[in-house]
Every structure is written in structure tokens, then in C-alpha cells.
């Protein structure tokens, strides 16, 4: 899988094989989780379930444990027995961590520690990294903190900085960036608002831990009809012109790139997603 499908990536515990098909139906891609969603005593069960599953390989990612966990080799052996060839490497902290993954697997590098965020640019430059994702809760825990968000629900400054740093690192390397999950399951509107910001900021996708969040993400990434109409009008008016004025707004190449991005999201099928 050379690119990360989006906009909604839904995590599913690797030891819940009964949920695999349902998760794949509810999102654009499913992340079968062998790491934090699985208790230590259930790891072998999860690996066996992932190896025996038969989801669409182009829409399936397997999250594996980090390079320092002592569990990565067993996780990768399970991936080898499966049809899947894209892994999400938990707690990636350096390009050397990516080197620990089998050579023909694509890697989504999860930058969720202080070291991972600081080294995000070098990680993104690794030739087998196809995308970066960031994680707020592990990041704050790695700093000795207790919460990634303020009482009002907004990210604390350090988490917001990490989000931007990972997005910029991915963009500089021309790799996809995936926004972190929202752990408040009942806050569907909060997830939708966050996904709208992710789409507008340049993230290719946002991860989810609940099917209702996946639906909200797909809706948020779908360009509104008015935006699609504007993008088409701007690109049509730009034919053979440099900078120009349209409806009181100056239009130049950056604005045209915004318009092309809107139409690309529309062509991806996001506009047909139900909220």
C-alpha cells in the first residue's frame, strides 16, 4: 500500500476477530491492533487472529509493538503469516526503529513520544515510511504529564505543538499525515470539529477508536458542496491567467492549490460519506 487510505482509519483490537469485518465496513481502512488495545496475556491470541484474517490488504494496517518492547519480532511474524504488508510502528523514535521492521513492509510511523516528535523529520525521510501519525496520550505520558487536554477539551500547548510538528515533517517529506484519535467516545461533535480542522490543515486522515467517530470523520473530510463549486469556478477562471481577482478575493497559485485539494477530496469519494 503506497499511500494511506482515508479519511477515516478505525482501530480494532487484534484479539477481537469478531469485529474485524464490521470495522472494515465502517471505515476507509482498519488498523488491527496488536499493541495497546490487547492485554499482555492475549497477545498470542491476537497475533493468531490477525494472521488468520482475510480483510482487503489494501485497506488494512497492523499496529505492531515498538522496537524496544521485546514483542516486535513476534508481531512481525504474525504479519508475515497474514496478507497484510503495511504496519503501524508504535512509539517510533528514530529511523533505526523503522530499520527493525522487515524490509518489504511499508511503515506508518507513530510518533507518540517526545523523542518521536523531535525526530519526526528524520523518521519521515526513511524510504519505507509511507505516513506519520502522532499520538497525544502517550506523548504526554512520556513527558511525565497526566492529560493532553485542558478541562475545556482543547489540546494543551505541548500536544498542539507535536501535532503541528508531525504534520510539517510529513509534508516536508511528501508523506501522508494522520491525525490522532479522540479518546472521548461520546463526544461525536468534538471529533467532527477536530476532523474538520485536520482536513483544512492538511492531514490525509484521522484515526478513530469507535465506528461513530469514523462516520463523523468521513463527514468532516467531505468538502461542502459550496466549497466544491467555488473550487471548480476558481480553476475554470484561472485558465491562462496569472494572479487575478475573483469575487473580491485575490487568487494566485497557493489559492489554486487549495482549490485542487478540495476537488481531490471530492474525487476520493468523501463527499458521499454519510455523517
Amino acid at each position: 500500500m503506497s499511500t494511506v487510505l482515508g479519511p477515516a482509519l478505525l482501530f480494532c483490537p487484534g484479539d477481537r476477530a469478531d469485529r474485524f469485518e464490521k470495522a472494515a465496513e465502517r471505515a476507509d481502512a482498519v488498523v488491527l491492533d496488536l499493541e495497546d488495545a490487547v492485554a499482555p496475556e492475549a497477545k498470542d491470541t491476537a497475533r493468531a487472529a490477525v494472521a488468520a484474517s482475510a480483510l482487503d490488504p489494501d485497506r488494512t494496517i497492523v499496529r505492531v509493538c515498538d522496537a524496544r518492547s521485546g514483542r516486535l519480532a513476534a508481531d512481525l511474524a504474525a504479519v508475515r503469516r497474514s496478507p497484510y504488508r503495511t504496519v503501524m510502528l508504535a512509539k517510533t523514535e528514530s529511523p533505526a526503529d523503522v530499520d527493525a521492521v522487515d524490509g518489504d513492509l511499508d511503515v506508518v510511523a507513530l510518533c507518540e513520544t517526545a523523542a518521536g516528535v523531535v525526530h519526526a523529520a528524520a523518521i519521515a525521510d526513511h524510504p519505507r515510511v509511507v505516513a506519520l501519525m502522532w499520538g497525544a496520550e502517550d506523548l504526554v505520558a512520556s513527558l511525565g504529564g497526566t492529560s493532553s487536554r485542558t478541562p475545556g477539551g482543547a489540546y494543551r500547548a505541548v500536544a498542539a505543538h507535536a501535532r503541528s510538528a508531525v504534520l510539517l515533517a510529513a509534508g516536508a517529506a511528501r508523506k501522508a499525515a494522520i491525525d490522532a484519535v479522540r479518546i472521548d467516545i461520546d463526544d461525536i461533535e468534538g471529533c467532527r470539529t477536530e476532523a474538520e480542522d485536520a482536513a483544512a490543515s492538511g492531514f490525509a486522515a484521522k484515526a478513530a477508536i469507535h465506528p461513530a467517530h469514523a462516520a463523523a470523520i468521513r463527514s468532516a473530510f467531505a468538502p461542502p458542496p459550496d466549497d466544491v463549486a467555488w473550487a471548480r469556478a476558481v480553476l475554470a477562471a484561472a485558465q491562462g491567467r496569472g494572479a487575478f481577482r475573483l469575487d473580491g478575493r485575490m487568487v494566485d497559485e497557493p489559492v489554486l492549490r487549495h482549490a485542487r485539494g478540495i476537488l481531490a477530496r471530492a474525487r476520493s469519494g468523501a463527499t458521499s460519506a454519510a455523517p
Side-chain angles (χ1 to χ4, degrees):
M1 185 172 67
S2 59
T3 59
V4 174
L5 294 180
L9 278 61
L10 181 58
F11 278 91
C12 183
D15 60 342
R16 294 302 306 268
D18 57 310
R19 297 183 182 178
F20 289 2
E21 292 284 352
K22 293 178 182 178
E25 291 170 0
R26 298 293 294 273
D28 300 290
V30 62
V31 182
L32 302 180
D33 194 0
L34 295 177
E35 198 222 10
D36 283 349
V38 180
E41 61 272 17
K43 296 290 187 186
D44 287 340
T45 298
R47 293 174 185 130
V50 168
S53 63
L55 301 179
D56 181 352
D58 289 334
R59 298 179 55 241
T60 307
I61 301 166
V62 181
R63 178 160 74 165
V64 294
C65 291
D66 67 86
R68 289 159 297 283
S69 65
R71 295 178 171 134
L72 179 58
D75 287 354
L76 292 175
V79 174
R80 281 275 169 225
R81 300 194 303 273
S82 81
Y84 316 124
R85 289 299 174 264
T86 302
V87 299
M88 178 180 289
L89 181 61
K91 300 177 181 65
T92 307
E93 296 192 339
S94 70
D97 287 357
V98 181
D99 288 336
V101 176
D102 294 352
D104 62 344
L105 297 177
D106 287 341
V107 177
V108 177
L110 184 44
C111 301
E112 54 183 341
T113 65
V117 173
V118 169
H119 299 141
I123 293 167
D125 279 337
H126 195 290
R128 287 196 292 111
V129 168
V130 297
L132 296 185
M133 179 175 162
W134 80 288
E137 306 313 317
D138 278 297
L139 169 66
V140 172
S142 80
L143 296 169
T146 58
S147 173
S148 68
R149 296 181 185 269
T150 67
Y155 279 124
R156 297 187 187 279
V158 67
H161 169 78
R163 184 177 189 249
S164 297
V166 170
L167 175 60
L168 288 168
R174 299 186 180 278
K175 306 290 177 70
I178 304 168
D179 198 19
V181 302
R182 191 175 182 93
I183 63 173
D184 186 344
I185 293 175
D186 294 331
D187 189 5
I188 306 300
E189 287 309 308
C191 179
R192 189 191 309 274
T193 298
E194 209 161 83
E196 288 171 351
D197 179 77
S201 297
F203 283 95
K206 183 173 176 63
I209 56 173
H210 191 276
H213 284 203
I217 291 165
R218 298 184 77 194
S219 175
F221 269 77
D226 287 350
D227 287 1
V228 174
W230 169 83
R232 288 174 175 157
V234 166
L235 291 172
Q239 296 299 318
R241 303 170 71 177
F244 63 99
R245 176 173 172 163
L246 181 68
D247 297 331
R249 179 180 180 183
M250 192 272 286
V251 177
D252 59 2
E253 183 55 30
V255 175
L256 296 178
R257 288 201 297 269
H258 293 170
R260 293 185 195 107
I262 289 170
L263 294 186
R265 281 165 50 201
R267 286 193 298 271
S268 74
T271 50
S272 64

